[in-house]
Amino acid sequence: MAKRTIAVVGLGGIGGVAAACLALSGRHDVIACARRPIGALTFEHGDDVSRVQLTTLVEPAAATVVDWVLLCTKAQDTASVAPWLARLCGPQTRVAVLQNGIGHAERVSPHAGSAGILPAIVYYNGERIAHDHMRLRHIRGHDLLVPAGPVADEFAALLAGTPIDVGKSDAFVTFQWRKLLINVIANPVTALTRQRIGVFHRKDLHDLCLGILREAVAVGRAEGADLESDEAERIFETLLGYPSEAGTSMYFDCLAGRPLEIEALNGAVVSAARKHAIATPLNAAMLALLKSISDANAETASLSA
Ligand SMILES: NC(=O)c1ccc[n+]([C@@H]2O[C@H](COP(=O)([O-])OP(=O)(O)OC[C@H]3O[C@@H](n4cnc5c(N)ncnc54)[C@H](OP(=O)(O)O)[C@@H]3O)[C@@H](O)[C@H]2O)c1
């Protein structure tokens, strides 16, 4: 593959790992677009620790059109990167959106001009140990999954030879909903209870979790996901198998007083449900509660800025 210019927007756990992997491969020109300069990253993968030099831009005005953008902010920060996308995107640019939730193209297209949008499901764990220190952990199977097609082939080629394994699927919508199903319970319940994944072993939470999941499964099916009749139970079993000490990003964001990604998770279920006239009162309750916390966090952050 010919050398490409790649901008990674958002240098958190996911973007930091992606930027480090691409820069270490040495095959492309990698530009990190962040809110503060990062001259070099420490990157941990298994027992390997590398120091990676990065070209970082902190002002969108300094950016020019690139071949690929990897958009790696939280979903709720998408609109805030509009000035970056305006400078980075031309008609030939592809924007791979490495975010949780569904509706990636609808969320990003208004800010990306005529650039093509490639949604990606993120399966790897990217831990930001410090603003310039990231750790990659593989969870299982692929690290990223994208809808099969020529753009997916080019994206996979971009990351070939790096530790990030890209899968391609014709059943992308189904996988997207399966990931969303985990997230619509794992994130809000850990954030609201301020407890890690071990909280799901409480028997008194089971009916609530299964109720949230059954609502979301009905909506996912209406949206075209090929979900099993016992999908809710299977997802809950999967979650019970996760390490008790693991946290979720909403749990950590909640503890840190940051805005929460709730609109992209339970909010996405509630808004898709409206299209199909499906009742989702439990997801709506999660949305309202977490949105209240998120809005209060955003207000406090803006007062202290
Ligand atoms: N981390 C994981 O293991 C994991 C796993 C699966 C899925 N995901 C999903 O992947 C996405 C990214 O998650 P993450 O964990 O990497 O989030 P994160 O650690 O919060 O990082 C997001 C980054 O975006 C930056 N950002 C936000 N607005 C920006 C702006 N206007 N300009 C420049 N940079 C901006 C933030 O900058 P500041 O540092 O300045 O705030 C932060 O560095 C989310 O949708 C998440 O749910 C994450």
Side-chain angles (χ1 to χ4, degrees):
M1 175 186 222
K3 192 177 235 196
R4 300 278 190 259
T5 47
I6 307 169
V8 180
V9 178
L11 266 279
I14 295 306
V17 163
C21 289
L22 285 162
L24 276 175
S25 83
R27 294 171 48 233
H28 304 289
D29 290 328
V30 182
I31 303 152
C33 302
R35 290 198 271 220
R36 58 177 147 170
I38 306 170
L41 272 183
T42 301
F43 173 60
E44 290 187 37
H45 178 221
D47 293 332
D48 295 336
V49 182
S50 318
R51 193 77 181 148
V52 188
Q53 297 303 315
L54 269 191
T55 304
T56 313
L57 300 180
V58 291
E59 287 297 337
T64 53
V65 170
V66 294
D67 297 310
W68 277 90
V69 175
L70 270 54
L71 176 53
C72 304
T73 63
K74 293 265 168 59
Q76 71 270 15
D77 291 325
T78 303
S80 79
V81 300
W84 282 112
L85 295 178
R87 299 286 303 181
L88 294 165
C89 292
Q92 307 303 322
T93 306
R94 307 286 188 192
V95 182
V97 185
L98 280 62
Q99 291 179 338
N100 270 340
I102 54 173
H104 297 67
E106 292 81 348
R107 193 157 58 236
V108 177
S109 290
H111 311 295
S114 53
I117 310 292
L118 182 71
I121 305 172
V122 182
Y123 290 117
Y124 66 85
N125 174 252
E127 183 183 355
R128 176 165 49 169
I129 295 162
H131 80 283
D132 60 351
H133 187 167
M134 311 294 164
R135 180 187 291 145
L136 165 63
R137 285 194 195 86
H138 304 281
I139 302 302
R140 64 183 162 82
H142 300 298
D143 296 308
L144 294 173
L145 190 75
V146 291
V151 182
D153 294 342
E154 168 139 357
F155 182 65
L158 213 58
L159 283 152
T162 76
I164 298 178
D165 172 71
V166 179
K168 298 167 259 179
S169 175
D170 290 321
F172 183 76
V173 171
T174 299
F175 286 107
Q176 213 176 13
W177 272 88
R178 289 215 170 102
K179 180 85 198 288
L180 182 65
L181 289 171
I182 289 278
N183 281 327
V184 294
I185 50 171
N187 279 283
V189 173
T190 54
L192 283 172
T193 60
R194 298 190 159 226
Q195 294 179 53
R196 294 173 184 243
I197 290 289
V199 75
F200 289 100
H201 291 282
R202 288 183 63 102
K203 294 269 185 289
D204 53 1
L205 283 177
H206 288 196
D207 286 349
L208 172 65
C209 293
L210 285 170
I212 295 169
L213 284 171
R214 286 182 188 127
E215 288 179 6
V217 167
V219 180
R221 282 179 154 175
E223 288 280 290
D226 188 12
L227 302 173
E228 306 289 337
S229 55
D230 61 348
E231 194 80 42
E233 290 75 9
R234 287 178 187 219
I235 293 284
F236 195 57
E237 276 304 310
T238 303
L239 192 59
L240 290 177
Y242 286 6
S244 286
E245 68 282 9
T248 65
S249 62
M250 200 176 286
Y251 164 82
F252 292 117
D253 284 343
C254 205
L255 291 187
R258 291 190 285 258
L260 309 175
E261 209 171 25
I262 192 68
E263 288 280 7
L265 305 181
N266 303 74
V269 172
V270 170
S271 84
R274 259 186 234 117
K275 286 191 274 169
H276 305 285
I278 297 172
T280 52
L282 295 175
N283 281 274
M286 292 296 122
L287 175 62
L289 290 167
L290 272 304
K291 206 168 169 325
S292 305
I293 298 173
S294 183
D295 289 350
N297 289 352
E299 202 178 319
T300 308
S302 74
L303 288 176
S304 60

